[in-house]
């Protein structure tokens, strides 16, 4: 899929964390890239604009992409509370392993 042809994206010229312009490609997927800055911050380039996020998570785009059609269920109150409970359980589990410093990779939604 050509994401950039479907949704509005914007190029990053600098690291969103430290502002440095020295970053390298880690992985490329379709027409999107995951970059790593010299400060070790990892980010997507280009990134989805606010308008692009609204398009992606609206019901209209879910009709175009069937794999997104169940996404709206996450937005109802019951699903939200289940999601929050799920995150709480995951965080509590992770807290049990916090014996020494380490890293956790959080895959977010850009921006």
């Amino acid at each position: 899929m050509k994401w950039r042809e479907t949704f509005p994206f914007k190029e990053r010229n600098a690291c969103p964390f430290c502002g440095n312009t020295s970053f390298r490609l880690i992985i490329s997927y379709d027409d999107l890239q995951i970059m790593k800055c010299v400060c070790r911050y990892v980010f997507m380039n280009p990134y989805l604009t606010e308008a692009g996020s609204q398009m992606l998570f609206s019901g209209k785009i879910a009709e175009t992409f069937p794999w997104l059609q169940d996404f709206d269920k996450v937005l109802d109150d019951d699903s939200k509370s289940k999601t929050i409970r799920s995150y709480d359980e995951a965080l509590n589990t992770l807290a049990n392993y916090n014996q020494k410093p380490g890293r956790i990779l959080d895959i977010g939604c850009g921006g």
Side-chain angles (χ1 to χ4, degrees):
M1 167 179 205
K2 296 297 180 192
W3 292 94
R4 293 174 81 172
E5 293 174 8
T6 308
F7 302 102
F9 281 86
K10 188 173 180 182
E11 292 285 334
R12 291 189 193 276
N13 296 318
C15 172
F17 184 73
C18 73
N20 200 310
T21 57
S22 297
F23 41 86
R24 64 180 173 84
L25 177 68
I26 294 177
I27 191 166
S28 183
Y29 177 75
D30 288 333
D31 56 350
L32 304 177
Q33 301 171 336
I34 304 297
M35 311 299 284
K36 185 173 186 178
C37 180
V38 295
C39 75
R40 298 174 42 179
Y41 187 76
V42 176
F43 58 95
M44 188 169 84
N45 194 29
Y47 66 95
L48 197 58
T49 64
E50 185 175 338
S53 294
Q54 290 173 354
M55 284 176 62
L56 179 63
F57 297 112
S58 72
K60 294 175 188 167
I61 206 70
E63 294 169 10
T64 307
F65 299 101
W67 50 272
L68 283 175
Q69 64 187 353
D70 291 331
F71 187 81
D72 287 340
K73 292 179 184 175
V74 174
L75 302 177
D76 67 35
D77 289 337
D78 187 47
S79 294
K80 283 181 183 177
S81 61
K82 287 179 183 176
T83 302
I84 291 169
R85 282 194 307 270
S86 171
Y87 283 125
D88 282 343
E89 289 173 18
L91 288 172
N92 288 333
T93 300
L94 288 172
N96 292 331
Y97 293 99
N98 191 14
Q99 305 298 322
K100 58 183 179 179
R103 298 182 194 182
I104 295 176
L105 174 63
D106 176 27
I107 308 290
C109 60

